[in-house]
Amino acid sequence: MQIIRKFFIVVMALFLPYFILSQYTFKELDSIINRCSLDSTRFYLEKQKAKAKSTSEYFRFYVNNAQYYRDIRDYKESLLYLDSSLSYIETEENKGVYFQNKGLIRFFQLDYNKAIQDYQESLLYFKKGDKRASTFHSLSNVYKKISEYDSVYLYLKKAKTSFVEKENPIGYGVVLFDLAGYHFNKGQYDSSYFYYTEALEIYQRENDKIRQGKTYTLLANVYWAQKDYNEAIKAAHISDSLNCIMGYTEGHLISILTIAKIYQVTEDYDSSIYYLQSILNEQELNDKYVAIKQHTVSSLASVYTARKEFDLALKYQQEALSYAKLLGDLGSEVVSYYNIGEYYLAKEDSINAKKMFLKAYSYKDSVVKLELMKAVSEKLAKLYDTENKDSALMFYKAFNFYRDSIKNFNVQKELEINQLKTNALQLADQLSKEKKAIMSEKKQKNVIFFGVAMIIIVLVIVLLVLRRIRQAKVVLEESLSSVSNEKKENELELKKFKKYIQSPEASKALLENLSTDKDWGRFMIDFELLYPNFFTSLILKDGVSLTKNDCRVAALMHLKLSNKEMTEVLHITLSGVKNAKARFRAKLKTS
């Protein structure tokens, strides 16, 4: 009996999971696949395949497979599965899903132009709702990668208006989070703070502690940028607590790294070293977190440099270099070589310093970091100045080139053009060498034959190039037409907004209830829409250091409010208004 009982238990253990899984419907398996780990996804996909009966279910099955292979970075297989779903598309929404997923694959393949085309195509089928909003959000991410920040802002605003907060609060919160990041990168810290706190309120309502932790980390960066270091450290500690509660190791490490860097800025080097070393002592700091290791040892090198402990600085910078090579991060490699060269210079070891700077300079065609390359060129020019005038002159020319490029040109476009010119010259040189080799091998009797062959090859290349140019022109015209239509829509909306905002009712509404920083944050955003770059032009004036109150007074003066009206808005006395205006004018006169 005991043997039979054990046999029964073993059989149940083996077959019970399959029995339970067989009870799941296709839709339930769809939900499981969206939530389970990558290791389990293949198993559930096989179960889903057996359950698929209708055309729509087969479409979902192939899309799920495409998403799985995209997640494991097998983009070729992902596209194959996605294209297999085409024959099962029955609805307009599924067409949109197809193009949306294709755009995401193109995005991960770094083919940003095709990603934009696919996302734009999906918008033709998503007329409203979360899918349309998420596509706008995806487009903002693509434009962020190609540094077209006006388009980033445009599509983030479209995503914000398309999301329904009550239906998808997390999606709406993520858009607010990215808007905050956009304003942070623009140096508009009040607006950034406003959007981060709005996103944080949503994450707190939804009890999403992971996103709360990330938001607190970036709020710490806002406080940091505003030089409110105590609040920055406090926000980073809150982020760390939330990450530890959720067992989110990466978030925990980033929070600690943020705290260490803030202490570094405040020149509390002992505290900075304590937190940086605590990261390196973490038991869970495995190969998954190589990027964090690289940032940590690089920060340690900076701290020890500030303390003039160059041997330790050199040790950690060499570690940072090894991690950068492991990551394939060419930009960090150049920075590491440059910093190591600086350490050797500090130790008066010009030979090794020169080697490191030459290593850094060798990346000039691969890394678009013009400020860094300008500094490297200058160092090399000075090192060679006393021993090799020709080399020194070459590096001085490189220094002038990078300096002028930074000042006068669209750097990215110029480098792309230069790269294309270099490729064209290399190709022409290669063709010339091949032609000479063929001519010498076949001698005079084959001159005509090979001449004709070369002409045919060139004609074919020209025809192919012309064909590609025509195709690119068609695509460009379609994109320009789409952008033009959207621009017209936006201009129409802006005209309506300006007409409204210039009305007495709008001015009154704009100036009501301006008692808190949050109210002023909204006011300044609306004010910037009507008077673009008003605050930026004030803040960027040489020698002018304006407070928040100065900016508020400037805005109210620009609106031509009387002193009495300003007392009501600012909640101060008439003499207080006069003093505030006088201080503001005095600051402008001293600039």
Side-chain angles (χ1 to χ4, degrees), residues 154-395:
L154 170 69
Y155 283 108
L156 282 174
K157 295 296 282 186
K158 283 179 178 286
K160 181 176 179 288
T161 54
S162 299
F163 267 119
V164 179
E165 182 182 351
K166 290 182 179 178
E167 293 179 6
N168 189 349
I170 294 296
Y172 185 74
V174 170
V175 172
L176 293 176
F177 182 90
D178 283 355
L179 274 167
Y182 167 83
H183 285 292
F184 181 84
N185 292 332
K186 286 279 188 179
Q188 299 163 352
Y189 302 125
D190 285 339
S191 298
S192 180
Y193 173 82
F194 170 75
Y195 281 118
Y196 276 136
T197 51
E198 289 279 300
L200 187 60
E201 286 177 12
I202 292 171
Y203 298 151
Q204 287 170 340
R205 280 202 307 270
E206 298 301 314
N207 199 30
D208 189 334
K209 287 186 169 55
I210 294 289
R211 286 192 170 89
Q212 286 179 48
K214 290 179 179 179
T215 307
Y216 271 115
T217 297
L218 292 169
L219 268 172
N221 288 334
V222 174
Y223 288 125
W224 182 357
Q226 293 176 319
K227 299 185 179 179
D228 190 346
Y229 300 120
N230 289 332
E231 286 298 321
I233 290 171
K234 191 187 297 182
H237 274 298
I238 295 172
S239 171
D240 184 43
S241 299
L242 289 164
N243 291 324
C244 289
I245 289 169
M246 298 304 295
Y248 181 37
T249 303
E250 184 176 1
H252 159 65
L253 296 173
I254 290 171
S255 299
I256 297 299
L257 185 57
T258 302
I259 293 168
K261 287 187 173 183
I262 295 169
Y263 278 123
Q264 182 183 341
V265 171
T266 59
E267 298 183 1
D268 185 350
Y269 299 129
D270 290 336
S271 297
S272 182
I273 291 169
Y274 169 78
Y275 281 103
L276 290 169
Q277 288 292 356
S278 72
I279 295 173
L280 296 180
N281 293 335
E282 284 278 349
Q283 292 181 351
E284 296 184 29
L285 193 66
N286 52 37
D287 290 341
K288 182 180 176 183
Y289 305 113
V290 174
I292 292 176
K293 287 181 184 178
Q294 194 264 336
H295 283 295
T296 302
V297 295
S298 181
S299 294
L300 276 166
S302 298
V303 171
Y304 283 116
T305 300
R307 290 171 59 151
K308 301 191 184 305
E309 297 179 35
F310 296 117
D311 289 335
L312 282 171
L314 179 59
K315 171 196 167 188
Y316 284 113
Q317 194 62 64
Q318 286 171 335
E319 282 188 37
L321 176 60
S322 65
Y323 287 133
K325 287 181 176 179
L326 193 61
L327 289 166
D329 184 351
L330 299 182
S332 294
E333 286 182 44
V334 176
V335 171
S336 294
Y337 279 124
Y338 179 80
N339 288 337
I340 292 170
E342 287 277 44
Y343 301 144
Y344 281 124
L345 274 183
K347 296 173 72 174
E348 299 182 357
D349 184 349
S350 60
I351 294 173
N352 281 318
K354 191 190 302 177
K355 287 179 182 177
M356 293 300 106
F357 290 132
L358 284 170
K359 278 276 191 182
Y361 189 76
S362 68
Y363 288 77
K364 67 182 185 300
D365 295 326
S366 307
V367 179
V368 185
K369 286 197 174 184
L370 296 180
E371 285 286 358
L372 184 58
M373 284 303 167
K374 184 183 82 169
V376 171
S377 302
E378 186 177 20
K379 294 288 183 185
L380 285 167
K382 288 178 179 178
L383 285 168
Y384 276 107
D385 199 33
T386 56
E387 59 183 73
N388 189 326
K389 293 293 183 183
D390 290 338
S391 296
L393 180 60
M394 180 186 76
F395 288 119

Side-chain angles (χ1 to χ4, degrees), residues 120-131:
Q120 293 284 8
E121 189 78 18
S122 72
L123 288 172
L124 299 176
Y125 304 106
F126 296 146
K127 301 302 181 185
K128 60 180 180 179
D130 286 355
K131 286 188 172 66

